[in-house]
């Protein structure tokens, strides 16, 4: 995959804006951008994220956007980093499919560099991350194992989407959808 293609796909990969709201040092509110986690999370949804170092398989994580074909531009974000440091980074939202020592999940086995004999395992310090909407997700199938030190935290719960506030009373020729939240 070319760098241009990868960069274009990252735009569809659940990118979160750099302006996340930090609630203390343990909770962060982020807005989902893209469709990689649909239908669980859609573009514009806001989620509450707990900064944690020990996620479990199946949880949805917010992770630092990986560098495409280059080294990481900066060191991992320290655990106690404040709002300014969090806001300077770009984030993705993905589901944790495998932890260190787990077998590599089936969706990755046919993708290079995983297509080789023997049951590969996730190495120490690494994770396998997958989007819920694989046709529109750039994830471990594209960038391989993900460094665990680049996890911001786990999604605790969705919040009311910012895009629906105040829209329920507006007149529209279209049939209104159900209220969010």
């Amino acid at each position: 995959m070319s760098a241009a293609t990868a960069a274009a796909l990252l735009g569809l990969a659940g990118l979160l804006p750099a302006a996340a709201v930090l609630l203390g040092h343990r909770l962060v509110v982020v807005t989902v951008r893209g469709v990689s986690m649909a239908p669980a999370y859609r573009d514009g949804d806001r989620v509450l994220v707990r900064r944690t170092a020990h996620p479990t398989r199946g949880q949805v994580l917010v992770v630092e956007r990986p560098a495409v074909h280059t080294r990481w531009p900066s060191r991992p974000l320290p655990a106690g980093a404040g709002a300014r440091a969090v806001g300077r980074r770009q984030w993705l939202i993905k589901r944790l499919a495998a932890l260190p020592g787990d077998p590599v999940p089936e969706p990755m086995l046919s993708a290079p560099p995983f297509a080789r004999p023997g049951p590969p395992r996730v190495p120490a310090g690494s994770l396998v991350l997958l989007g819920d909407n694989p046709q529109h997700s750039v994830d471990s199938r594209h960038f391989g194992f993900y460094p665990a030190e680049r996890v911001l935290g786990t999604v605790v719960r969705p919040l009311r989407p910012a895009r629906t506030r105040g829209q329920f009373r507006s007149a529209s020729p279209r049939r209104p959808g159900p209220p969010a939240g």
Side-chain angles (χ1 to χ4, degrees):
M1 171 179 350
S2 72
T5 303
L9 286 172
L10 281 175
L12 300 173
L15 191 59
L16 301 174
V21 177
L22 192 68
L23 305 172
H25 290 286
R26 308 255 320 139
L27 297 172
V28 183
V29 175
V30 290
T31 303
V32 176
R33 295 287 174 228
V35 296
S36 74
M37 289 300 292
Y41 301 102
R42 299 182 186 277
D43 187 67
D45 285 351
R46 293 183 313 146
V47 294
L48 183 63
V49 176
R50 178 182 301 124
R51 296 186 66 184
T52 180
H54 303 291
T56 59
R57 192 178 312 99
Q59 284 184 309
V60 176
L61 305 180
V62 173
V63 299
E64 191 171 354
R65 177 181 161 184
V68 180
H69 300 296
T70 62
R71 293 180 173 205
W72 289 93
S74 57
R75 300 178 76 97
L77 193 65
R84 185 173 298 213
V86 170
R88 284 191 209 124
R89 309 271 175 121
Q90 292 184 349
W91 305 98
L92 299 175
I93 183 169
K94 302 292 175 197
R95 191 168 304 278
L96 179 56
L99 293 159
D102 287 349
V104 173
E106 188 67 34
M108 290 181 57
L109 291 178
S110 60
F114 307 105
R116 56 180 171 245
R121 299 237 173 232
V122 179
S126 298
L127 306 170
V128 173
L129 304 174
L130 298 174
D132 287 359
N133 186 358
Q135 297 85 359
H136 297 284
S137 180
V138 176
D139 50 37
S140 287
R141 292 169 299 153
H142 302 91
F143 54 72
F145 296 118
Y146 192 85
E149 64 188 2
R150 299 286 177 166
V151 172
L152 177 66
T154 58
V155 173
V156 175
R157 68 183 200 87
L159 300 172
R160 185 172 167 182
R163 69 183 190 302
T164 61
R165 286 190 181 173
Q167 293 181 356
F168 302 120
R169 296 184 189 188
S170 65
S172 172
R174 294 185 203 146
R175 187 172 166 223

